[in-house]
Amino acid sequence: MQGLMQDVPLLVSSLIRHADRHHGDVEVVSRRVEGDIHRTTYREVHGRARRLANALDALGVALSDRVATLAWNGYRHLELYYAVSGKGSVLHTINPRLAPEQIAWIANHAEDRCLFFDLTFLPIVEKIAPLMKTVRAVVAMTDREHMPPSPPGVELLCYEELVAAHGDRYAWPELDEHLASSLCYTSGTTGHPKGALYSHRSTLLHTFAITWPDVMNLSARDTIMPVVPMFHVNAWGIPYAATMTGAKLVLPGCALDGKSVYELMEAEKVTMAAGVPTVWQNLLAYVGQNGLRFTSMQRTVIGGAALPPAMLRTFEERYGVAALHAWGMTEMSPLGTLCALRPQHAALPADDAFAIKAKQGRVFHGVDMKIVDDAGNDLPWDGAAFGNLLVRGPCVVREYFQGEGGDPLVTDAEGLRWFPTGDVATIDADGYMQITDRSKDVIKSGGEWISSIDLENIALTHPAVAMAACIGVPHPKWDERPLLVVVLRPGAGATRDELLRIYEGRVPKWQIPDDVAIVDAIPLGATGKMLKNKLREQFAGYRWPAP
Amino acid sequence: MQGLMQDVPLLVSSLIRHADRHHGDVEVVSRRVEGDIHRTTYREVHGRARRLANALDALGVALSDRVATLAWNGYRHLELYYAVSGKGSVLHTINPRLAPEQIAWIANHAEDRCLFFDLTFLPIVEKIAPLMKTVRAVVAMTDREHMPPSPPGVELLCYEELVAAHGDRYAWPELDEHLASSLCYTSGTTGHPKGALYSHRSTLLHTFAITWPDVMNLSARDTIMPVVPMFHVNAWGIPYAATMTGAKLVLPGCALDGKSVYELMEAEKVTMAAGVPTVWQNLLAYVGQNGLRFTSMQRTVIGGAALPPAMLRTFEERYGVAALHAWGMTEMSPLGTLCALRPQHAALPADDAFAIKAKQGRVFHGVDMKIVDDAGNDLPWDGAAFGNLLVRGPCVVREYFQGEGGDPLVTDAEGLRWFPTGDVATIDADGYMQITDRSKDVIKSGGEWISSIDLENIALTHPAVAMAACIGVPHPKWDERPLLVVVLRPGAGATRDELLRIYEGRVPKWQIPDDVAIVDAIPLGATGKMLKNKLREQFAGYRWPAP
């Protein structure tokens, strides 16, 4: 017997429609690539999104057609979020930091029909234009005055002309909530990038969840600045959640240096900002060097990479800004965990509280997680045992776009289907998860797992060590044993034995690396991450010293 | 093209499953009808709910069968919430304050299969037992020691024996989220009661929404006490939301006097409580008379009836407890609006802020509202124009159980289907709604609407007036004109002209009642509300004085 409640689907268009009707006067402030500060409101964003939807119809963009963007955080990008998904097409945000060939590959794989780009990315457009096979309209997100000359073989359209040419009457269709609403490719350290295809339903459920007090705690009283880019997993869903709650939204455009971010935060009285550690490093450096304070910022959500403990303390102790460690994946819409304290932690000494806050945190309803060994057996939640981290939920992918990579899920003994994150983690008795390694980097020695990251962090405490990677190298008796690979600081010196001695008393004896290789460089990826797979290839012929 | 996210339905069972896995150690504290304080945890509630689900299976309760409860707020009732809905049956909470004949009528209309009751309600069970046509098992929610003798014709089962007799292994089924999960009848001031049949989906969406910072703002750091009963619209959804967030839950049982409620709040360090004005009146009287303070309470959500301005001020000014005015309906799951201030109100003088806080508040995503005239035309949101309040959303009924009362919805010019609340309201430019009247009580004079409640509140400012009702009485020229009906305080006297004079300068001239009737009593309903329909019948033969 069905319940008798109204059939109202969960649609992206409902967010901007709600915002228009119930807090249409709230501001959306953007630093434009043109250089100035632009102010609009949710009501105007809604009006222009409707004009844009008409323009997309006129361009022949049909239901479920993909519309690509190469764009910063700004109001025009926000308008595209609502226009494209609202009309039933799929917003495909592309990461402009990828190599042009990779961008072209992704656009072709996604079969993008249109491409919208911020002026900054004209050089990319020039390079990819000859490579793109399905894009039929390329739109510069600017006005006539700022229009660049069209590159050879492309006739650029002007965003503001498209918007002006169409009326603002557009009835958002009552779509099936399971329809695709947006598409984001994973960076793909190995193999081709793979697309996570979000639905209207998953997008709304993710929006609902990140708003909760124990997650990002977003309210109409906030002024929110997503510094995390709208071109990557929808800026962690913040543009949707800010629209829904009626928070003022501040979009920093391409000016992500410490000074620009700080000045915009202060000018617009930002209460909550979200970003990755590297960008916050620049912000804190600027604020520190100039003896400044945060006068409105209450909290920041930090993710994308592990929150360095020193950054956590700087935000909280020096500046009184709560730093909330978050973890997620493109495949998870993206938020998986957030580290908010539980009541039993209220009376903890600061150092103990910081130890918890440095963890990746707890899941919220809609995400379930567990850690398992290689045979799929559940591991205890004791904060010590670590295993492969699996997740499931309505905002987690079940497969990649166009079946790329086959079936990514694993089935457990209960018959539940889980997504293996590729991370290795501990979970403590209070439900706090902490990533200890990537699954492929963990070192498996005699049936026991050793965290490569733990060993690297210890190596980095040695003053001579500039960079450290720990990899598992095949071993006749133990399957694998840890090999420490280090780059020394210029002019510094350290011996093998000296480096191994720092592990004494800090890890169990059997976890201490068996050998050290001092190298000139460790291979790095485009985003600065160490490529341990390359390193393992490099040390494929390595032989352990005789015992 | 469908999105590629996991198919995970929104199910009531997911709430308790999540609580067990991720905050299973959090306490659920109940004052039992047996008299003592009982402590359990979400993990134990989950275990016992699974035992109970097995017991229900053994009793032959099938998919979508209705299971009725006559019960206070307590852990056993919470176990039933999860056991019954979790297994795919329908939890039918019955308001024990109704007349026994009405309870029996409702149980028969719902075709309830089982009845669970708290010991307090044995006298009701004795009365309704011979009248119930479909109930095959009647369970006393207690242990063997406290079991009462079975009434004639019924063999009572013992709750604790049922739980003990079954194992705690139960795989919650992966139901269709549109399946009915619970059923609640409206009190029905006219005609038979009508059932709102909630689905798993609507229950979860409502849970997600009430948790938001701008709504009830519920977090794992809270200790929540729903004084509003679990037998009426699921205690405003709080038991579900507390389970989901991992808030400690404090359930007051049948002891709703000021002393008992206060002592439990203090003993358990309640941070948030929700209740109706009449219960809070008793609480405030007790606290005031004994010179006490609230030492842990931060806020209270008040609904079910308009929040009296004096109560709002007492909570906020005297006790430092934020009082959040809420409004909803059984047909809305039930929350429709909540009054949280927007940032532009932060600097308002206290009196102006109180004027806003006295309104019913703003909708949140998932509820849309509008005010229309009798022809269905939208009225302006200016805080002055008032019209019929319509609502829509995925947590609003589309029809009543078994089609009772026909199609309750109206269709607007856009083709959207709305539920007429039966209330008349204003909405201001900031989106704050204020109920001014019931649709059937508003007085329609020469095409203009006059709020009966406004006129009554003014009458009540006269020291001689104990009770006041204002009704529209047919008028040859103006369709209707307001007639003020008053009951004077014992020993007090007031003339017609004296009573009418107090309206001067407080309402426009044309709104002032044309006449006053001083009566001995105004007819009241079971819940203490004035029955204006009875009053209108009583004054059907009234003749206006010659002008």
Side-chain angles (χ1 to χ4, degrees), chain A residues 54-63 65 87 89 113-114 136:
Chain A
N54 281 316
L56 290 165
D57 280 351
L59 286 171
V61 176
L63 189 80
D65 275 359
K87 76 186 277 308
S89 304
R113 179 78 185 249
C114 292
R136 286 179 235 167

Short mmCIF file of all heavy atoms in Angstrom, two decimals, chain A residues 54-63 65 87 89 113-114 136:
data_model
loop_
_atom_site.label_atom_id
_atom_site.label_comp_id
_atom_site.label_asym_id
_atom_site.label_seq_id
_atom_site.Cartn_x
_atom_site.Cartn_y
_atom_site.Cartn_z
N ASN A 54 16.17 28.94 -22.14
CA ASN A 54 15.59 29.20 -23.46
C ASN A 54 16.68 29.24 -24.53
O ASN A 54 16.50 28.71 -25.63
CB ASN A 54 14.81 30.52 -23.44
CG ASN A 54 13.43 30.37 -22.80
OD1 ASN A 54 12.72 29.41 -23.09
ND2 ASN A 54 13.06 31.29 -21.94
N ALA A 55 17.81 29.87 -24.19
CA ALA A 55 18.91 29.95 -25.15
C ALA A 55 19.44 28.56 -25.48
O ALA A 55 19.74 28.26 -26.65
CB ALA A 55 20.03 30.83 -24.58
N LEU A 56 19.54 27.71 -24.47
CA LEU A 56 20.03 26.34 -24.71
C LEU A 56 19.05 25.56 -25.59
O LEU A 56 19.46 24.81 -26.48
CB LEU A 56 20.24 25.62 -23.37
CG LEU A 56 21.43 26.14 -22.55
CD1 LEU A 56 21.35 25.63 -21.11
CD2 LEU A 56 22.76 25.70 -23.17
N ASP A 57 17.76 25.77 -25.35
CA ASP A 57 16.76 25.15 -26.22
C ASP A 57 16.99 25.61 -27.66
O ASP A 57 16.97 24.80 -28.60
CB ASP A 57 15.35 25.53 -25.77
CG ASP A 57 14.87 24.70 -24.58
OD1 ASP A 57 15.57 23.73 -24.22
OD2 ASP A 57 13.81 25.03 -24.02
N ALA A 58 17.20 26.91 -27.82
CA ALA A 58 17.39 27.45 -29.17
C ALA A 58 18.65 26.90 -29.83
O ALA A 58 18.72 26.74 -31.05
CB ALA A 58 17.46 28.98 -29.10
N LEU A 59 19.65 26.57 -29.00
CA LEU A 59 20.89 25.99 -29.54
C LEU A 59 20.72 24.49 -29.83
O LEU A 59 21.65 23.84 -30.29
CB LEU A 59 22.04 26.16 -28.53
CG LEU A 59 22.62 27.58 -28.40
CD1 LEU A 59 23.59 27.65 -27.22
CD2 LEU A 59 23.32 28.01 -29.68
N GLY A 60 19.54 23.97 -29.54
CA GLY A 60 19.29 22.56 -29.84
C GLY A 60 19.77 21.60 -28.78
O GLY A 60 19.90 20.40 -29.03
N VAL A 61 20.04 22.10 -27.57
CA VAL A 61 20.47 21.22 -26.48
C VAL A 61 19.25 20.49 -25.95
O VAL A 61 18.31 21.11 -25.46
CB VAL A 61 21.15 22.04 -25.36
CG1 VAL A 61 21.52 21.14 -24.20
CG2 VAL A 61 22.39 22.75 -25.91
N ALA A 62 19.26 19.18 -26.07
CA ALA A 62 18.08 18.38 -25.75
C ALA A 62 18.19 17.73 -24.38
O ALA A 62 19.22 17.86 -23.69
CB ALA A 62 17.88 17.31 -26.82
N LEU A 63 17.13 17.02 -23.98
CA LEU A 63 17.11 16.30 -22.71
C LEU A 63 18.32 15.38 -22.63
O LEU A 63 18.62 14.66 -23.58
CB LEU A 63 15.82 15.47 -22.63
CG LEU A 63 15.54 14.82 -21.27
CD1 LEU A 63 14.95 15.83 -20.30
CD2 LEU A 63 14.58 13.65 -21.42
N ASP A 65 21.36 15.91 -22.96
CA ASP A 65 22.58 16.35 -23.66
C ASP A 65 23.55 16.94 -22.64
O ASP A 65 23.13 17.59 -21.68
CB ASP A 65 22.25 17.45 -24.68
CG ASP A 65 21.81 16.87 -26.02
OD1 ASP A 65 21.79 15.62 -26.15
OD2 ASP A 65 21.48 17.67 -26.92
N LYS A 87 16.69 22.31 -16.95
CA LYS A 87 15.94 21.96 -18.16
C LYS A 87 16.06 20.49 -18.51
O LYS A 87 15.51 20.02 -19.51
CB LYS A 87 16.37 22.84 -19.33
CG LYS A 87 17.72 22.50 -19.95
CD LYS A 87 18.13 23.49 -21.00
CE LYS A 87 17.53 23.24 -22.37
NZ LYS A 87 17.68 21.90 -22.93
N SER A 89 19.05 18.81 -19.01
CA SER A 89 20.33 18.46 -19.63
C SER A 89 21.35 18.19 -18.52
O SER A 89 21.02 18.29 -17.34
CB SER A 89 20.79 19.58 -20.56
OG SER A 89 19.78 19.84 -21.52
N ARG A 113 27.88 18.63 -25.98
CA ARG A 113 27.21 19.29 -27.10
C ARG A 113 27.61 20.76 -27.18
O ARG A 113 27.72 21.33 -28.25
CB ARG A 113 25.70 19.15 -26.83
CG ARG A 113 24.81 19.76 -27.84
CD ARG A 113 24.71 18.88 -29.06
NE ARG A 113 23.93 19.56 -30.08
CZ ARG A 113 22.72 19.17 -30.48
NH1 ARG A 113 22.17 18.09 -29.98
NH2 ARG A 113 22.06 19.86 -31.39
N CYS A 114 27.78 21.39 -26.02
CA CYS A 114 28.16 22.80 -25.94
C CYS A 114 29.30 22.93 -24.96
O CYS A 114 29.45 22.10 -24.06
CB CYS A 114 27.04 23.66 -25.35
SG CYS A 114 25.61 23.81 -26.36
N ARG A 136 29.15 21.60 -30.57
CA ARG A 136 28.67 22.39 -31.71
C ARG A 136 28.52 23.87 -31.40
O ARG A 136 28.26 24.66 -32.28
CB ARG A 136 27.32 21.83 -32.17
CG ARG A 136 27.51 20.51 -32.89
CD ARG A 136 26.19 19.93 -33.33
NE ARG A 136 26.04 18.59 -32.82
CZ ARG A 136 24.90 17.91 -32.82
NH1 ARG A 136 23.80 18.45 -33.27
NH2 ARG A 136 24.85 16.68 -32.35
#
